[in-house]
Amino acid sequence: MKYDLMIKNGNIFTAGEEYIADIGIKDGKIVAIGCGLAESVACGCGSQGSTQVVDATGKFVFPGAIDIHTHIDAPLHGSHTLDDWYQGTYAAAFGGVTCVVDYPNQKIGESIRETIERVIRKAEKKAVVDFSCSPVITDRTEEVYQELPQLIEEGFPTYKVFMAYDFKVDDTELTRLLDVIGNHGGLLGVHCENDLAIGYLADKLVAEGKTEPKYHPLSRPPLAEAEATGRVIRTAAMVDAPVLIVHVSAAGALQEIAEARNSGWSVYAETCPHFLLLDEAVYNQPLEEAAKYVVTPPIRSRVHREALWNALSAGTVSLVSSDHCAFPLDEKLRLGAGPFTKIPHGAPGIETRVPLLFSEGVMKGRITAERFVELVSTNPAKLAGLYPQKGTIAVGSDADILIMDASRTYTLSVGSLKGVADFTPFEGYQIQGFPETVISHGNLVVHKGEAKAQPGTGKLTKRNKFKAF
Ligand code: MN
Ligand code: MN
């Protein structure tokens, strides 16, 4: 047997281990891991061609990162995001990501099956890494409740709903969706903010003439998030369903999550790089700058940021996703000419998540490299029903691999990022650690900083039912 590709002498990290070894890859799978693997094994089978070798001496070799919270090619908040599935997954690959599970909104009148089919049609000819989607259920018809168990069986176990925005769920719908999805092997993600309180606060601020972006965080206080998070967690427990709290930003919400997890409830929490790294002072700037940071929940103060880093180490937070949502900056500014409430909520991040968490987390000693793997790959894989096919380096797993050069330092800037997003909230950030080589199914997608990917090489990835961990 000849390997198609060998990764030699890398420092391999998984969620549980660190060791130096070679990885042998054949037909898109990892088929051997060991020291001093021979490039070709004499077998008399007459296999043709030579093994491609990537020397990873002195490099970190990780399972490919997985981003399960993105909004690619999305019409949202009166605007449309910039990237299609080629541009979005191309940026993802340069950010070390080998699988994207997107959150497309169901269109009103559409079944969830139709939402899924619509995303697959858009993605399958364009994606450069594997993909799937977790539909956001916006139109809770009887048909939707009926079709979900079958869709979970077919490999779509994850969904999302919002407690905020005009497509929010009420408590009856939330309870029923948690019950139907959770008790058929699925997992519901929930955007937790108390919409009625936020609506009142925002209207009041605007009526008082307080229309600048600096009022955005005041309209969506940490308590609005903590309250909704607690309500969602208790509702999930009432119907004995697991729940994923997406993009947690506030210390009070973390407290609710930690208490529930200590009680043995099946509650998982996600956060994002912008909540770990940025400060609410970003809003005290002219619209041209401040609009870039208008996301929900809003970016908060130092107290919350520190609580999030502690929660990453303590295990209260299970994963770090990007919440990538690349609205054009001129749209954010045009719509933001009125009150802050009109600015489309979202910012790009699919390409910067892994370098930022590696640099700020691992290189600065706040988390271990094994914990980093858990947060960006293993736990997202488990939550999305992809593990152990993805999210680890093991014989039999997909050959989806990220090779990181920890010695390389550089400055993040919109001009040097590969995606089509026209700004980054992390402009000027000093980064240590470069995603040098990204491998999907044994094929080089990015190598030495160069794109090797062809549109359509990414495949819809079949997912399993959710298993608590
Ligand atoms: Mn959200
Ligand atoms: Mn989102």
Side-chain angles (χ1 to χ4, degrees), residues 42 44 80 84 93 115 181 183 225 282 308 312 404 435:
H80 197 290
D84 68 11
T115 308
I181 293 169
N183 291 308
E225 183 182 337
V282 294
L308 282 167
L312 281 192
M404 197 88 160

Side-chain angles (χ1 to χ4, degrees), residues 335-356:
L335 293 163
F340 66 86
T341 50
K342 301 288 184 213
I343 303 172
H345 297 157
I350 205 166
E351 192 176 348
T352 49
R353 173 185 67 130
V354 164
L356 283 166

Side-chain angles (χ1 to χ4, degrees), residues 110-308:
E110 193 177 55
S111 71
I112 298 298
R113 182 177 296 282
E114 287 166 338
T115 308
I116 291 169
E117 286 171 350
R118 178 164 56 80
V119 171
I120 294 172
R121 272 199 306 276
K122 287 200 288 187
E124 66 186 351
K125 291 191 178 65
K126 293 188 171 178
V128 305
V129 297
D130 284 356
F131 66 91
S132 188
C133 68
S134 311
V136 175
I137 301 168
T138 61
D139 191 8
R140 278 107 15 213
T141 60
E142 198 54 35
E143 180 192 10
V144 166
Y145 294 106
Q146 299 305 328
E147 69 179 333
L148 286 170
Q150 178 60 27
L151 291 170
I152 293 168
E153 288 293 333
E154 291 176 25
F156 297 93
T158 50
Y159 300 87
K160 183 185 179 189
V161 292
F162 283 72
M163 302 291 280
Y165 299 109
D166 53 8
F167 45 87
K168 64 182 174 284
V169 288
D170 65 27
D171 287 4
T172 309
E173 295 167 321
L174 174 69
T175 311
R176 188 171 175 192
L177 283 168
L178 282 163
D179 190 20
V180 170
I181 293 169
N183 291 308
H184 285 91
L187 175 67
L188 186 64
V190 188
H191 173 125
C192 296
E193 289 184 291
N194 182 324
D195 192 60
L196 301 176
I198 287 168
Y200 172 78
L201 294 172
D203 288 350
K204 187 177 168 189
L205 287 163
V206 171
E208 290 167 353
K210 295 171 176 167
T211 58
E212 302 143 74
K214 69 179 178 191
Y215 297 105
H216 171 63
L218 297 181
S219 73
R220 311 180 86 97
L223 283 170
E225 183 182 337
E227 185 280 326
T229 302
R231 183 151 41 104
V232 167
I233 288 172
R234 288 173 181 84
T235 307
M238 285 182 225
V239 291
D240 201 17
V243 67
L244 169 63
I245 310 299
V246 303
H247 55 41
V248 176
S249 74
L254 288 171
Q255 249 169 41
E256 296 282 348
I257 292 156
E259 271 175 36
R261 288 174 63 87
N262 287 337
S263 308
W265 296 359
S266 197
V267 175
Y268 302 86
E270 169 195 81
T271 193
C272 312
H274 43 276
F275 298 128
L276 290 164
L277 299 173
L278 302 176
D279 187 283
E280 66 180 353
V282 294
Y283 296 117
N284 295 327
Q285 303 184 77
L287 176 69
E288 291 66 38
E289 270 305 304
K292 296 177 182 174
Y293 305 95
V294 173
V295 295
T296 59
I299 288 157
R300 311 224 186 256
S301 66
R302 169 180 291 273
V303 178
H304 298 281
R305 216 160 61 226
E306 294 309 316
L308 282 167

Side-chain angles (χ1 to χ4, degrees), residues 52-55 436-438 444-452:
Q52 188 173 16
V53 176
V54 173
D55 181 5
E436 188 182 69
T437 298
V438 177
L444 297 175
V445 179
V446 173
H447 189 44
K448 297 195 185 299
E450 301 257 313
K452 304 285 177 190

Side-chain angles (χ1 to χ4, degrees), residues 69 71 160 323:
H69 190 157
H71 304 274
K160 183 185 179 189
D323 199 3

